[in-house]
Amino acid sequence: MPKQALTWIAGKFASARLGGLTTSVIRRFVARYEVNMAEAANPDIASYASFNEFFTRALKPGARPLAAAELICPVDGRISQFGRIEGEQIFQAKGHQFSTTALVGGDAALAAQFRDGLFANLYLSPRDYHRIHMPCDGRLLRMIHVPGELFSVNPVTAEGVPGLFARNERVVCVFEGPQGPWIMVLVGATIVGSMATVWHGVVNPPRPGHLRDWQYADQNIVLKQGDELGRFLLGSTVVMLFPKGQGDALAFNPAWQPAGPVRLGEVMATR
């Protein structure tokens, strides 16, 4: 079955309200992936009317305190890779790189702003909290929906599929921050029913098969550090880009290592 068809079917099921069947599936999912429901604002599995409502569940207030740092981690998950952008090349895994131009959908002028800057790729597994938050303050300038493949984004696939994050379907969010522009990319994957942002709602579907571009520079859409930015309806990856000037002044958390766990709100980088 084509991945797009599988994704459509999964998306339909995830949004359906099927009573006891939905509750049974959620219970199995919680047991299979050892989801910590004690952290959820609503820990009652039977109260979720659809799988999507469960999957995008909110956390209890105070469950993820925000560190005092220039950049905080925007998600719960694991580190895929992070570090310096070499020219416009981003390290994916041993033997694999991809370009910032490809990542943002072919806009070379946009990508050029991040030449020799910093990047971080963070993977969200099925068990993780799936809302994405702001690593720093930002005023929204632009959003680009880039059509693409729906490969899995787990660590094994990242090591085997060249240019994975620049080939999968993705939503590119461009912000102006306190120290210049920065980008958050939401990367889709197999079975990911959709991605959504707080200012737009669900971005995909629809999937028209061509690039879509929204401009927000004339609007005053401002999000503060720690605010919710968007969410995945099933696990995936976020890729962040920061410009060279900001990157030269920052140091990543020394405790960060590829494949290591991360939590929303912890220190990502400091001056």
Side-chain angles (χ1 to χ4, degrees), residues 12-184:
K12 286 295 185 182
F13 173 80
S15 61
R17 295 169 177 254
L18 302 174
L21 177 59
T22 294
T23 300
S24 178
V25 169
I26 293 172
R27 288 191 191 282
R28 288 173 178 267
F29 187 94
V30 168
R32 168 67 177 82
Y33 292 103
E34 299 180 340
V35 177
N36 183 4
M37 292 302 293
E39 295 183 326
N42 177 11
D44 181 8
I45 290 173
S47 69
Y48 291 99
S50 71
F51 187 83
N52 278 346
E53 286 186 15
F54 154 73
F55 202 78
T56 59
R57 64 197 175 277
L59 294 174
K60 286 180 178 177
R64 297 290 185 276
L66 305 183
E70 185 90 5
L71 300 176
I72 62 168
C73 182
V75 295
D76 283 4
R78 286 190 175 274
I79 299 165
S80 178
Q81 297 291 340
F82 68 100
R84 180 71 63 177
I85 301 168
E86 300 294 338
E88 69 159 22
Q89 295 297 309
I90 297 174
F91 181 73
Q92 175 180 306
K94 186 176 181 180
H96 298 306
Q97 295 180 316
F98 59 95
S99 74
T100 51
T101 298
L103 179 69
V104 302
D107 188 330
L110 175 60
Q113 298 180 64
F114 302 93
R115 185 175 184 85
D116 297 319
L118 295 180
F119 78 94
N121 302 344
L122 306 178
Y123 167 67
L124 288 72
S125 74
R127 67 173 294 176
D128 290 318
Y129 169 68
H130 273 78
R131 298 190 186 191
I132 303 135
H133 294 251
M134 295 285 284
C136 61
D137 295 351
R139 182 172 69 90
L140 182 66
L141 301 179
R142 185 179 178 190
M143 181 174 73
I144 309 163
H145 174 228
V146 186
E149 302 292 338
L150 291 170
F151 294 113
S152 169
V153 292
N154 66 40
V156 173
T157 309
E159 292 176 359
V161 178
L164 173 63
F165 303 125
R167 293 171 64 182
N168 269 16
E169 179 181 25
R170 54 206 179 275
V171 175
V172 181
C173 306
V174 185
F175 293 92
E176 181 68 29
Q179 307 300 325
W182 62 274
I183 286 177
M184 174 78 78

Side-chain angles (χ1 to χ4, degrees), residues 194-213:
S194 67
M195 293 174 277
T197 64
V198 296
W199 58 86
H200 181 90
V202 174
V203 179
N204 60 313
R207 290 182 169 91
H210 59 79
L211 187 145
R212 293 182 291 161
D213 194 340

